[in-house]
Amino acid sequence: MKHLILPAVVAVAPLAAFAQVEQGPANADFQPAFENQTRAPALESSAVTVTTVADGLVHPWGITPLPDGDWLVTERPGRLRVLRADGSLSDPVSGLPEVDARDQGGLLDVAAGPDFAESRLIYWTYAKRVSGGTVTAAARGVLSEDRSEVTEVEEIFTQTPPSSNAMHYGSRLVFDGPYLYVTTGEHFSVSDRQLAQELDTTYGKVVRLTHDGSVPADNPFVEQEGARPEIWSLGHRNIQGAATGPSGELWTIEHGPAGGDELNLPEPGENYGWPVVSYGQRYNGEPVGSGEARAEGFEEPVYYWDPVIAPAGMTFYDGSFEEWQGDLLIGSLTPGGVVRLEIEDNRVTGEERIRQDLGRIRDVHMAPDGSLLLLVDQEDGSVLRMTPGI
């Protein structure tokens, strides 16, 4: 589906024609390609109650539910913990591989396998030190009955090539039936970021695998000589959020530079432009790549932010609070809190900023009761519960 290629600027309503979320001036002087591609109308403020579920975690990064009400939580230094239903935390689960915890690296996302109740398989992503540098890797293993260790560990994906920069690893895990999506980053440096456009690397890509790490036969570049067959889409910067939408489609969200955070609907084989085009600019104020926000052959983002929200984990709401039904809830690292997007027909129709005083929210996951569990990413981090409608 070719849904958002717009090589020329489309006339849109003036950005000041409706009430917007208060966010300050943009860094870059670009006009959106279509109405509500950025600074959508402000939604009515939501009433929420926030409580602390657990604290004392060191830079928590990913969280996933288990069938009996417990949760698994990663800590970036390399620890996996069980968060029990009563709010207590287990000792670190043993058996995980060593992680490269320098800079932005470490133990990252975690997901219980779709058949966890039978197989006890869990999956995780992490920064791995290898000969020649560091990479994003994904692995899986069997969680013991008492949840104290992981056995039968096998690596199912290793980014290529290694980088000397311990930055921009991605990464999130999303299951889609027999498939598993893994998102990656492009390691930040001016030289490394160019590889987001190269098909012989897995920098700045969405990767699509089966659960055991093999490559699906219908991936878009399987038959292309010199291309990595696991690539689903390319031209991404640093994808730290991914989720399945209400109709089963994959959505991703990635960090831009100074401005230009993007929400995308990655289609097979499509190119999302980084670092050739961007709705942001470099941190020193210089232009990114071509200096343009769009160009022929690159997909438009569904939505972008300037200034940034520094997006992390996200989820589509499907709980008991009707006012949020189908909305996208995104963790923000800067300025913090949760960003809510109302989406209709794959276009954003409204935005809300919720509790920006909560700090750096690294992941967002919906609990069975319709509340949200939020990870606060700091040295003395925590798990919060946000309950809407209270």
Side-chain angles (χ1 to χ4, degrees), residues 176 179-182 206-210 214-220 229-232:
D176 175 22
Y179 307 115
L180 172 64
Y181 293 101
V182 183
V206 174
V207 167
R208 183 178 182 248
L209 309 167
T210 63
S214 57
V215 175
D218 61 346
N219 272 10
E230 61 267 44
I231 294 173
W232 180 255

Side-chain angles (χ1 to χ4, degrees), residues 53-112:
V53 177
D55 53 22
L57 291 159
V58 180
H59 293 291
W61 212 97
I63 186 168
T64 190
L66 297 177
D68 62 354
D70 288 354
W71 299 73
L72 295 177
V73 182
T74 63
E75 294 177 284
R76 198 156 51 79
R79 293 181 292 272
L80 177 66
R81 311 281 289 276
V82 179
L83 173 61
R84 303 183 183 94
D86 64 3
S88 61
L89 288 165
S90 73
D91 292 333
V93 176
S94 65
L96 270 69
E98 183 178 352
V99 306
D100 184 359
R102 297 173 299 144
D103 296 332
Q104 294 180 356
L107 184 58
L108 304 173
D109 202 16
V110 62

Side-chain angles (χ1 to χ4, degrees), residues 100 102 128-135 161-165 192 203:
D100 184 359
R102 297 173 299 144
K128 180 182 180 181
R129 189 84 69 98
V130 298
S131 176
T134 188
V135 296
S163 173
S164 60
N165 298 300
D192 278 351
Y203 282 37

